[in-house]
Amino acid sequence: MMFYGMGAAVAVRVSNFNGRGDVVNVRRTTYAGFHVILAMAVVLSLLIFSLWHSLGGWFSDDPEVTTSVVTLMIPLLLYQFGDGMQINFANALRGISDVTPMMIIAFVSYFVISLPAGYFFGFVLHGGIFGVWMAFPFGLTSAGIMLWLRFRYKTSDRRIKR
């Protein structure tokens, strides 16, 4: 939820600067937001990492639950960075009113990349729940990269009408 709050702030600021035609501050705001989200992801990941073995006990006394929670910490930690990236750049694209391509990016990231990756890691490689959850960082990071590339293209110097 912290990432979504920061993403909403990025969308508002980017929209404001975009309305003024200030592409320099559109970029500056977007990258500043991304840096703040990365800092939040590092702090959150350090907190999760420090509580790695005790988090499962907060929700259940069952040792099987605790073992599952410990097993799923690696995908969770990796998930944070791709999630932050895709939230930030999706909201920056919303701020510059470039939303239609996000549907295609989401489809490719989640259905073409993540879903088959989950099947491959979970079932073909016999990774079980760990393998299925490892697909989430792949999908989110690929979405983040594609959204970043789209943002970069839409705000590049050759796209600006002077």
Side-chain angles (χ1 to χ4, degrees), residues 5-21:
M6 189 64 204
V10 166
V12 169
R13 295 295 293 160
V14 164
S15 178
N16 187 346
F17 288 124
N18 188 54
R20 294 181 188 174

Side-chain angles (χ1 to χ4, degrees), residues 49-72:
F49 186 75
S50 67
L51 299 170
W52 191 305
H53 293 285
S54 62
L55 279 176
W58 294 1
F59 303 101
S60 174
D61 294 332
D62 186 354
E64 193 172 318
V65 170
T66 303
T67 302
S68 293
V69 169
V70 169
T71 301
L72 296 176

Side-chain angles (χ1 to χ4, degrees), residues 15 20 22 25 38 47 50 57 84 90-93 99 110 113 145:
S15 178
R20 294 181 188 174
D22 187 352
N25 278 317
L38 283 178
L47 181 64
S50 67
N91 279 290
L93 288 169
V99 295
Y110 306 130
I113 295 172
I145 290 169

Side-chain angles (χ1 to χ4, degrees), residues 39-102:
M40 287 191 288
V42 167
V43 169
L44 181 62
S45 294
L46 289 173
L47 181 64
I48 290 170
F49 186 75
S50 67
L51 299 170
W52 191 305
H53 293 285
S54 62
L55 279 176
W58 294 1
F59 303 101
S60 174
D61 294 332
D62 186 354
E64 193 172 318
V65 170
T66 303
T67 302
S68 293
V69 169
V70 169
T71 301
L72 296 176
M73 283 296 142
I74 292 171
L76 176 67
L77 291 171
L78 295 173
Y79 176 101
Q80 302 305 310
F81 298 97
D83 193 32
M85 183 179 201
Q86 68 93 20
I87 288 169
N88 184 73
F89 289 105
N91 279 290
L93 288 169
R94 282 184 189 100
I96 62 171
S97 301
D98 187 47
V99 295
T100 306
M102 286 194 291

